[in-house]
Every structure is written in structure tokens, then in C-alpha cells.
Amino acid sequence: MLVQAAHQQADLRCVKFFDFQFTGNAAAGHDQNPVCQCAHFFQFYRYQQNRDTGITQRQQAAAALRASEEKFRGLVETSFDFVWEIDAQGRYTYVSPQVRTMLGYAPEEMLGRTPFDFMAEAEAKRVGANFGKLIAEKKPIIGMENVNRHRNGTNVVLETNGSAMLGPDGALVGYRGIDRDITARKRAEQALRDANLRLEYEEAVRTRELA
């Protein structure tokens, strides 16, 4: 009954192993006690189960990672923001497709270059100095405004937010973040300031005339 139960519970590979063990031991004149033979068999069967379980878990983990990466990629590629990653030297290692709309460049054109390569010299120095202070302390980038040059020569004002990527030893690996085009907002803010200045000037003129 015990041998029959073993055959019913095991897969084909394990049953063949059991048959081999039993036949081989009998031919060699070894102990043919079915209980002893089944004990050997179930040790092997448990090993096979544990091995198969480990393989299945690794496959499931890999599948979950792929699904997570695809979900992240889908979110990134449908976002209106420009998502990026740079290494510890400030060179782009990832650029999302939205940069085509935002700055007029293909992602592959920006890989290996730095954000400062797309700024006027004075702006690159200003932003580079501020960014250098953050890098030195591995601090996040929060609302950093910077003016970039579009491929067509126009200025594009970006608002940058990002966080440091650290290795297992705590060393800086790079930064990951997003850039948002705030050009229209900055123009609206400037137009409002100009309108207020005109009102203040007109009010000052009327005040002098009435004096």
C-alpha cells in the first residue's frame, strides 16, 4: 500500500527514480524493506518539490518584475512630464519620449549628455552651481526652475524635481526626476506683473495731476 501510494503521489520522474532505487538495491543484495525504500524515495521527492517550488517562485518574481517595469514604462510614456535619470557625472541614462514635445530632441540624442548641454552658458553656470550643492549632500531637487533651449532656438522654462539614487554602500549613483514645462505659467505671471506695474504707474500719474 505504501509503495502504491508513493506511485500515486509522485510525478513520472520521481517514480522512475524510485523504481531504479528499488531494482538496483535488490540486484545488489541490499535491504529491500519497502519502508526503507520509500523513505529514500520521499527524500528525493521532497528535494524535487523544493527545487520545482524554487524555480516557480523565481519565475513568478521575474514575471512580477516585468509587469511592474511595463506598468512604470506605460505611466512614464503617457505622462505629460519629461522623466529622466542621470548618472553620478550628471549624464542622461534615461530620457522619456515626452522630451520630443518639450525640447524637440529625440531621447537617444540626449543620452550621454548633461542637462547643462541644453542651456545657455550663463544659465548652465547658475543651475550647475545650485545643482552641485544638492549633489554634495545628496539632497532632493525641489521646484528648481531652469531655462532650456529648444531645438528651434526658443527658450523653455522647466521646473525640475528629483531625488538621489544611492547604491548599497550609500554612494551616489545618480538622480531620477521629472521636468515640467512651466513656460506658459511663467509668461502669465510676467504678464500679471507687467499689468500691475502699469496700473501702479497710471495711479501715480493721476495722483500727481490731482495734486
Side-chain angles (χ1 to χ4, degrees), residues 180-192:
R180 176 166 295 175
D181 185 350
I182 60 170
T183 307
R185 189 183 84 193
K186 299 301 291 183
R187 286 174 180 165
E189 290 173 354
Q190 185 60 50
L192 181 60

Side-chain angles (χ1 to χ4, degrees), residues 84 115-116 119 122-131 134 140-148 156-162 178-187 189-190 193:
W84 51 264
F116 314 112
M119 300 177 187
E123 180 70 352
K125 288 181 179 178
R126 181 189 71 82
V127 177
N130 293 334
F131 188 45
L134 297 176
I141 306 168
I142 302 174
M144 179 184 288
E145 294 185 5
N146 50 99
V147 181
N148 289 243
V156 180
V157 185
L158 302 180
E159 182 181 76
T160 300
N161 292 279
I178 60 172
D179 282 356
R180 176 166 295 175
D181 185 350
I182 60 170
T183 307
R185 189 183 84 193
K186 299 301 291 183
R187 286 174 180 165
E189 290 173 354
Q190 185 60 50
R193 284 193 294 269

Side-chain angles (χ1 to χ4, degrees), residues 15-211:
V15 171
K16 286 183 177 179
F17 177 82
F18 171 76
D19 289 342
F20 170 78
Q21 284 288 87
F22 192 89
T23 304
N25 284 341
H30 293 167
D31 184 5
Q32 300 179 37
N33 184 334
V35 174
C36 178
Q37 295 294 332
C38 287
H40 289 305
F41 164 70
F42 279 115
Q43 281 183 337
F44 179 75
Y45 182 54
R46 282 194 294 271
Y47 162 77
Q48 290 285 358
Q49 281 186 316
N50 291 337
R51 189 191 70 171
D52 291 345
T53 298
I55 292 173
T56 300
Q57 288 175 341
R58 288 194 295 273
Q59 289 173 337
Q60 290 174 341
L65 179 60
R66 285 194 299 272
S68 177
E69 288 175 345
E70 296 218 350
K71 181 179 180 181
F72 172 75
R73 188 179 299 109
L75 290 172
V76 165
E77 294 183 355
T78 56
S79 169
F80 290 107
D81 297 326
F82 157 34
V83 181
W84 51 264
E85 285 186 0
I86 58 173
D87 61 19
Q89 287 70 48
R91 297 172 300 210
Y92 283 118
T93 57
Y94 174 78
V95 177
S96 70
Q98 282 69 20
V99 76
R100 290 180 182 273
T101 302
M102 202 170 289
L103 294 178
Y105 295 95
E108 55 269 23
E109 292 181 273
M110 301 184 71
L111 296 178
R113 302 173 71 180
T114 75
F116 314 112
D117 293 331
F118 302 92
M119 300 177 187
E121 185 178 352
E123 180 70 352
K125 288 181 179 178
R126 181 189 71 82
V127 177
N130 293 334
F131 188 45
K133 295 175 184 176
L134 297 176
I135 289 179
E137 299 182 27
K138 304 171 188 175
K139 288 185 175 181
I141 306 168
I142 302 174
M144 179 184 288
E145 294 185 5
N146 50 99
V147 181
N148 289 243
R149 298 291 286 179
H150 193 281
R151 179 188 283 278
N152 63 16
T154 60
N155 286 333
V156 180
V157 185
L158 302 180
E159 182 181 76
T160 300
N161 292 279
S163 59
M165 298 187 295
L166 306 179
D169 58 353
L172 181 69
V173 174
Y175 268 75
R176 175 186 295 124
I178 60 172
D179 282 356
R180 176 166 295 175
D181 185 350
I182 60 170
T183 307
R185 189 183 84 193
K186 299 301 291 183
R187 286 174 180 165
E189 290 173 354
Q190 185 60 50
L192 181 60
R193 284 193 294 269
D194 292 344
N196 288 333
L197 286 174
R198 282 196 299 272
L199 288 174
E200 290 174 5
Y201 173 75
E202 291 170 0
E203 182 64 25
V205 171
R206 283 196 296 270
T207 300
R208 285 197 302 271
E209 290 175 347
L210 293 173

